[in-house]
mmCIF file of all heavy atoms in Angstrom:
data_model
loop_
_atom_site.group_PDB
_atom_site.id
_atom_site.type_symbol
_atom_site.label_atom_id
_atom_site.label_comp_id
_atom_site.label_asym_id
_atom_site.label_seq_id
_atom_site.Cartn_x
_atom_site.Cartn_y
_atom_site.Cartn_z
ATOM 1 N N VAL L 514 3.414 47.917 0.712
ATOM 2 C CA VAL L 514 4.837 48.160 0.948
ATOM 3 C C VAL L 514 5.082 49.650 0.792
ATOM 4 O O VAL L 514 4.278 50.362 0.170
ATOM 5 C CB VAL L 514 5.716 47.357 -0.043
ATOM 6 C CG1 VAL L 514 5.555 45.862 0.165
ATOM 7 C CG2 VAL L 514 5.401 47.729 -1.481
ATOM 8 N N PRO L 515 6.176 50.166 1.335
ATOM 9 C CA PRO L 515 6.450 51.607 1.200
ATOM 10 C C PRO L 515 6.623 52.012 -0.259
ATOM 11 O O PRO L 515 7.227 51.293 -1.054
ATOM 12 C CB PRO L 515 7.750 51.788 2.001
ATOM 13 C CG PRO L 515 7.792 50.641 2.942
ATOM 14 C CD PRO L 515 7.131 49.504 2.242
ATOM 15 N N ILE L 516 6.107 53.173 -0.602
ATOM 16 C CA ILE L 516 6.209 53.668 -1.966
ATOM 17 C C ILE L 516 7.653 53.978 -2.319
ATOM 18 O O ILE L 516 8.059 53.889 -3.485
ATOM 19 C CB ILE L 516 5.307 54.910 -2.140
ATOM 20 C CG1 ILE L 516 5.177 55.307 -3.604
ATOM 21 C CG2 ILE L 516 5.822 56.073 -1.328
ATOM 22 C CD1 ILE L 516 4.271 54.480 -4.397
ATOM 23 N N VAL L 517 8.466 54.315 -1.310
ATOM 24 C CA VAL L 517 9.882 54.599 -1.558
ATOM 25 C C VAL L 517 10.599 53.337 -2.049
ATOM 26 O O VAL L 517 11.486 53.397 -2.909
ATOM 27 C CB VAL L 517 10.550 55.151 -0.275
ATOM 28 C CG1 VAL L 517 12.025 55.454 -0.507
ATOM 29 C CG2 VAL L 517 9.817 56.397 0.207
ATOM 30 N N LEU L 518 10.205 52.190 -1.515
ATOM 31 C CA LEU L 518 10.793 50.924 -1.954
ATOM 32 C C LEU L 518 10.481 50.659 -3.417
ATOM 33 O O LEU L 518 11.354 50.213 -4.185
ATOM 34 C CB LEU L 518 10.268 49.786 -1.076
ATOM 35 C CG LEU L 518 10.729 48.369 -1.432
ATOM 36 C CD1 LEU L 518 12.245 48.254 -1.301
ATOM 37 C CD2 LEU L 518 10.044 47.337 -0.562
ATOM 38 N N MET L 519 9.256 50.933 -3.847
ATOM 39 C CA MET L 519 8.891 50.723 -5.239
ATOM 40 C C MET L 519 9.636 51.674 -6.161
ATOM 41 O O MET L 519 10.053 51.295 -7.262
ATOM 42 C CB MET L 519 7.377 50.909 -5.413
ATOM 43 C CG MET L 519 6.542 49.841 -4.751
ATOM 44 S SD MET L 519 6.946 48.174 -5.303
ATOM 45 C CE MET L 519 6.769 48.318 -7.063
ATOM 46 N N VAL L 520 9.825 52.916 -5.735
ATOM 47 C CA VAL L 520 10.597 53.870 -6.545
ATOM 48 C C VAL L 520 12.041 53.391 -6.693
ATOM 49 O O VAL L 520 12.638 53.483 -7.778
ATOM 50 C CB VAL L 520 10.535 55.266 -5.907
ATOM 51 C CG1 VAL L 520 11.464 56.231 -6.634
ATOM 52 C CG2 VAL L 520 9.114 55.810 -5.933
ATOM 53 N N LEU L 521 12.602 52.867 -5.613
ATOM 54 C CA LEU L 521 13.965 52.335 -5.680
ATOM 55 C C LEU L 521 14.049 51.132 -6.612
ATOM 56 O O LEU L 521 15.001 50.998 -7.401
ATOM 57 C CB LEU L 521 14.433 51.958 -4.275
ATOM 58 C CG LEU L 521 15.849 51.384 -4.151
ATOM 59 C CD1 LEU L 521 16.871 52.421 -4.599
ATOM 60 C CD2 LEU L 521 16.123 50.945 -2.719
ATOM 61 N N VAL L 522 13.049 50.257 -6.572
ATOM 62 C CA VAL L 522 13.017 49.092 -7.463
ATOM 63 C C VAL L 522 12.929 49.527 -8.922
ATOM 64 O O VAL L 522 13.623 48.985 -9.801
ATOM 65 C CB VAL L 522 11.838 48.166 -7.088
ATOM 66 C CG1 VAL L 522 11.646 47.088 -8.141
ATOM 67 C CG2 VAL L 522 12.079 47.525 -5.737
#
Side-chain angles (χ1 to χ4, degrees):
V514 296
I516 191 77
V517 180
L518 177 62
M519 292 303 305
V520 173
L521 180 63
V522 170

